[in-house]
Amino acid sequence: MSAVDTPEKSTHLALVTTRHGGLEVMQVQQRPTVPPGAGEVQVRIRAAAFNHLDLWVRRGEPAGHWPTPIVPCADGAGHVVAVGQGVELPIGTEVAIYPVISCHVCERCLAEQPQLCDRFGLLGEHVDGCAQEVVNVSVRDVVELPSGLDLVVAAAMPTTFITAWQMLHSRAQVQAGQRVVVHGPGSGVGSAAIQLARVLGAEVIATIRKDADEALARDLGASEVFRNDDPQWPRLVRKMGGADLVFEHVGAATWQASIKALKRGGKIVTCGATTGFEVSLNLRKLFFHSISLLGSTMGTRSDLKTVIEYAARGLCKPHIGARFPLTKGAQAMGVLERREVQGKVLIEM
Ligand SMILES: [Zn+2]
């Protein structure tokens, strides 16, 4: 296919973090629509999803780390409306956007580990994200959707589901029959982890902060649920034989209990630390019990393909908490910031 097919109108609406600050810095702006470059596709976005990262970028925390103005939202899905030179994807193809930015040419990118690329970044962080009607991305950074998968559902999945899949499948190599503890079924990554651990055939124990989350945890596939403020929960897990894996994304508040819940030879895999980065570690226990600590960040494009296929087969689904039109983007961000809903907050276009 040559040059550009059916270009979109010459401007489009975008939600923009104009500078660092409170919700007042969010504006909806008209942006020029640039034709896709060689190797790129132009996607008409149907829905985009916020992550907590969008809040840190807007607040400018940590200072000096995030450029503005920037369009938020790493996650989005839509259909192809134009293609650049050398791209053969048909117009109209429905796609989810792979949110990782990488160089595509280094050893790690070629080995399909772009999250280890020296130029690793995310859409909406250092490059404009999906909270706009039209976005141009490399054809290597989209995944075709199987028929029947709703674009809004696909838009809610990428970051949390590829993060959870990479942790469980590639890093911790969870096997059928293993016992996996997942904290926080109400969080995006916790919800994805419970469902994907079940897909892998693991037995899932969830820990919750409030009783109201128990039904959610069981609904997602947990067979046992403990309150994480009950200091007895690690002992109760060990009584069941101990955890093969604890799926960590909470950090300081749960770390010691997570270690205590492990069986000998157990693993902890972590992708975040919302309650604090500094923890202590008893090295004697680490080596004497042959414990493995695994760090993990994001996932690969094939991870995105895999989780999208699972969703199309009804094996997992994102929890969508609220949807707003693009023009109410600042309001949507406020709902996320004040934790007024559980589940992903989306903007639709
Ligand atoms: Zn690279």
Side-chain angles (χ1 to χ4, degrees):
M1 221 170 275
S2 67
V4 179
D5 248 315
T6 59
E8 275 281 281
K9 58 188 179 183
S10 57
T11 65
H12 64 271
L13 290 179
L15 178 67
V16 182
T17 305
T18 55
R19 59 194 157 81
H20 298 308
L23 286 170
E24 73 284 352
V25 306
M26 303 308 296
Q27 280 179 15
V28 176
Q29 296 179 352
Q30 288 280 351
R31 286 261 174 127
T33 307
V34 181
E40 287 187 337
V41 292
Q42 184 168 87
V43 179
R44 174 69 174 84
I45 297 290
R46 167 73 180 83
F50 285 109
N51 289 288
H52 283 275
L53 178 66
D54 295 308
L55 300 177
W56 303 336
V57 171
R58 195 206 69 214
R59 295 175 194 147
E61 297 168 4
H65 203 64
W66 319 108
T68 56
I70 192 141
V71 175
C73 295
D75 297 332
H79 65 275
V80 173
V81 287
V83 298
Q85 200 180 358
V87 176
E88 289 183 3
L89 210 55
I91 301 300
T93 304
E94 293 189 332
V95 295
I97 311 275
Y98 173 59
V100 172
I101 307 295
S102 66
C103 78
H104 291 292
V105 294
C106 75
E107 211 171 277
R108 283 159 169 180
C109 285
L110 293 176
E112 244 238 287
Q113 294 287 315
Q115 71 275 32
L116 304 181
C117 175
D118 287 339
R119 287 176 56 195
F120 168 84
L122 292 178
L123 284 179
E125 184 192 78
H126 289 99
V127 178
D128 283 337
C130 296
Q132 51 183 334
E133 291 174 317
V134 173
V135 68
N136 293 344
V137 289
S138 166
V139 68
R140 290 176 290 195
D141 291 335
V142 296
V143 166
E144 280 184 58
L145 298 185
S147 63
L149 185 66
D150 190 280
L151 280 170
V152 176
V153 170
M157 291 185 66
T159 295
T160 50
F161 275 77
I162 65 174
T163 297
W165 183 248
Q166 175 77 202
M167 290 167 78
L168 294 166
H169 181 252
S170 303
R171 298 293 283 144
Q173 302 186 348
V174 168
Q175 306 294 315
Q178 288 190 330
R179 188 174 297 113
V180 176
V181 172
V182 178
H183 301 305
S187 69
V189 77
S191 160
I194 294 176
Q195 298 176 74
L196 294 172
R198 293 291 301 133
V199 168
L200 288 166
E203 170 195 339
V204 178
I205 297 170
T207 80
I208 56 174
R209 268 194 312 180
K210 50 185 197 297
D211 290 339
D213 286 348
E214 177 167 356
L216 171 65
R218 292 196 186 274
D219 191 44
L220 291 168
S223 53
E224 197 65 64
V225 180
F226 296 114
R227 279 193 60 121
N228 63 18
D229 58 0
D230 172 5
Q232 293 304 315
W233 79 258
R235 195 179 57 81
L236 297 172
V237 171
R238 276 206 317 277
K239 251 174 109 177
M240 298 164 71
D244 294 283
L245 175 71
V246 178
F247 184 100
E248 255 295 341
H249 55 104
V250 179
T254 49
W255 184 260
Q256 291 306 333
S258 293
I259 297 259
K260 277 187 201 153
L262 292 176
K263 63 165 62 163
R264 287 171 188 250
K267 303 171 185 175
I268 290 191
V269 63
T270 177
C271 68
T274 46
T275 60
F277 296 107
E278 301 292 335
V279 295
S280 68
L281 181 65
N282 182 331
L283 286 175
R284 185 170 180 277
K285 177 152 185 176
L286 183 79
F287 61 70
F288 201 57
H289 287 189
S290 298
I291 288 168
S292 303
L293 302 181
L294 305 164
S296 193
T297 199
M298 296 301 285
T300 67
R301 182 171 173 270
S302 2
D303 290 337
L304 181 55
K305 225 174 157 174
T306 301
V307 295
I308 289 277
E309 271 161 25
Y310 287 147
R313 285 163 54 194
L315 296 173
C316 61
K317 61 168 191 268
H319 180 189
I320 295 174
R323 306 173 176 204
F324 291 84
L326 175 66
T327 49
K328 296 222 159 59
Q331 203 178 317
M333 208 180 213
V335 164
L336 173 75
E337 192 159 32
R338 296 186 298 271
R339 298 178 186 272
E340 284 171 13
V341 297
Q342 224 171 32
K344 301 299 285 181
V345 176
L346 270 73
I347 50 180
E348 297 185 88
M349 290 157 259

